[in-house]
Amino acid sequence: MSLQQASQSRVFVELVPWADRGRENNVVSGGESLPGLHRPVSSAQTQTATREVHVSGTADVSASPDRAQVAVLVSSTKEAAAEAKRSVCRRLDYITQSLQQQGLQAENVTVTKDFRRVENAYHMEAEQRIPRMHTKDSACFIAKQVCITFTEFGKMQNICNFLIEKLDSSVVISQPQFYHTPGSVENLRRKACLVAVENAWRKAQEVCNLVGQTLGKPLLIKEEETKEWEGQIDDLQSSRLSSSLTVQQKIKSATIYAASKVFITFEVKGKEKKRKNL
């Protein structure tokens, strides 16, 4: 009596590792594969295969200037040098005391050396078509310049307005020059990169949540592109005349911007199953 042959088993589904996922649509019944395809990878190869998600992130950040410098010119023209010097020193002392009362530190105030110049004053007259030159007595010109560095722009405006009100035309106050310290520019570059990385991480996190996976550790972080530029005034006509710009327009013009683009590869893990407590 011959034994009855056992019926053939058929495979309808095969789990394909991520590294060999191109085979999942080419499996046929009976466990056979289409020609030219590799054999299923071993369990050791399956454990070493890494699933990844590749994302990019961008960020644009800006920083307003953190310093402003104003120059105050104090001058006097007198016949006697000593008298001119006393006039300048009297106003200079008043300016220095006012700055101290406003809380400005001594290291933020710089006084230049004396400017001395002795010059003659001339005027021309025209009479009967014969020009004649008259010479006046010599005069001594003495001036000192006070350079003030501000970190608070509101205080800068208040002090400048106060000096103009008290000293009027006896002093000349320059337009404020806004600028950035080297440390603030470097901080802006780092901030742009970090924000871009954070945006890329959030994007990868949302992608993994959407497909029911868990985001793993980053495998590669690369900053692909960086840009820096200064602010521009909308009104081109106003930008040609810096003296006509308001303080806010000057701040906007001195604002710097930084952009960063990063590329990150993250590891993807399977969804962790929660164990039920017995």
Side-chain angles (χ1 to χ4, degrees), residues 76-79 116-122 135-142:
S76 178
T77 303
K78 301 288 184 181
E79 292 182 0
R116 296 175 179 267
R117 185 174 71 248
V118 178
E119 58 185 9
N120 294 325
Y122 299 96
T135 303
K136 292 185 176 180
D137 295 335
S138 297
C140 180
F141 174 81
I142 296 180

Side-chain angles (χ1 to χ4, degrees), residues 105-121:
Q105 301 297 324
E107 58 267 21
N108 293 329
V109 181
T110 304
V111 181
T112 63
K113 296 181 179 179
D114 295 353
F115 293 99
R116 296 175 179 267
R117 185 174 71 248
V118 178
E119 58 185 9
N120 294 325

Side-chain angles (χ1 to χ4, degrees), residues 30-272:
E32 299 178 357
S33 299
L34 293 178
L37 294 177
H38 300 287
R39 295 179 178 274
V41 295
S42 63
S43 58
Q45 290 175 322
T46 303
Q47 292 177 357
T48 57
T50 304
R51 297 186 297 170
E52 302 172 351
V53 57
H54 304 261
V55 293
S56 62
T58 59
D60 294 338
V61 296
S62 63
S64 300
D66 56 352
R67 295 289 188 278
Q69 191 174 71
V70 173
V72 181
L73 181 65
V74 184
S75 64
S76 178
T77 303
K78 301 288 184 181
E79 292 182 0
E83 187 179 353
K85 185 176 181 180
R86 283 194 301 269
S87 176
V88 169
C89 290
R90 185 170 59 251
R91 283 172 288 164
L92 184 62
D93 291 340
Y94 180 81
I95 292 173
T96 304
Q97 292 177 4
S98 299
L99 296 177
Q100 291 176 351
Q101 291 174 358
Q102 294 293 331
L104 263 73
Q105 301 297 324
E107 58 267 21
N108 293 329
V109 181
T110 304
V111 181
T112 63
K113 296 181 179 179
D114 295 353
F115 293 99
R116 296 175 179 267
R117 185 174 71 248
V118 178
E119 58 185 9
N120 294 325
Y122 299 96
H123 72 277
M124 298 288 295
E125 284 185 356
E127 183 178 352
Q128 296 180 354
R129 299 183 181 179
I130 301 176
R132 292 180 299 175
M133 180 177 292
H134 300 269
T135 303
K136 292 185 176 180
D137 295 335
S138 297
C140 180
F141 174 81
I142 296 180
K144 286 190 177 184
Q145 181 172 279
V146 183
C147 292
I148 313 168
T149 302
F150 294 93
T151 57
E152 300 178 28
F153 302 152
K155 180 181 290 187
M156 175 194 69
Q157 290 181 282
N158 293 336
I159 291 177
C160 290
N161 292 337
F162 175 80
L163 294 178
I164 292 174
E165 179 184 352
K166 296 298 181 180
L167 300 176
D168 198 18
S169 59
S170 64
V171 296
V172 178
I173 301 179
S174 69
Q175 293 292 323
Q177 301 296 322
F178 296 94
Y179 64 96
H180 295 263
T181 55
S184 66
V185 177
E186 186 61 32
N187 290 337
L188 185 68
R189 296 190 186 107
R190 286 198 297 266
K191 181 180 178 181
C193 180
L194 294 177
V195 174
V197 170
E198 182 180 1
N199 291 338
W201 176 82
R202 292 182 184 277
K203 184 191 296 185
Q205 186 75 47
E206 293 176 1
V207 169
C208 288
N209 291 339
L210 183 64
V211 297
Q213 300 297 307
T214 301
L215 185 66
K217 62 184 179 181
L219 304 176
L220 172 68
I221 301 177
K222 180 181 179 182
E223 189 174 32
E224 294 185 324
E225 184 179 353
T226 59
K227 290 182 180 179
E228 292 180 23
W229 67 95
E230 290 186 355
Q232 299 293 330
I233 299 298
D234 297 333
D235 189 358
L236 180 61
Q237 186 67 25
S238 296
S239 64
R240 294 175 181 174
L241 301 174
S242 59
S243 60
S244 66
L245 297 179
T246 64
V247 171
Q248 294 303 322
Q249 286 175 324
K250 286 179 177 292
I251 293 175
K252 182 178 179 181
S253 178
T255 298
I256 58 174
Y257 299 82
S260 176
K261 180 180 180 182
V262 299
F263 174 82
I264 307 181
T265 299
F266 288 97
E267 181 184 10
V268 176
K269 298 180 180 180
K271 200 71 173 180
E272 296 180 356

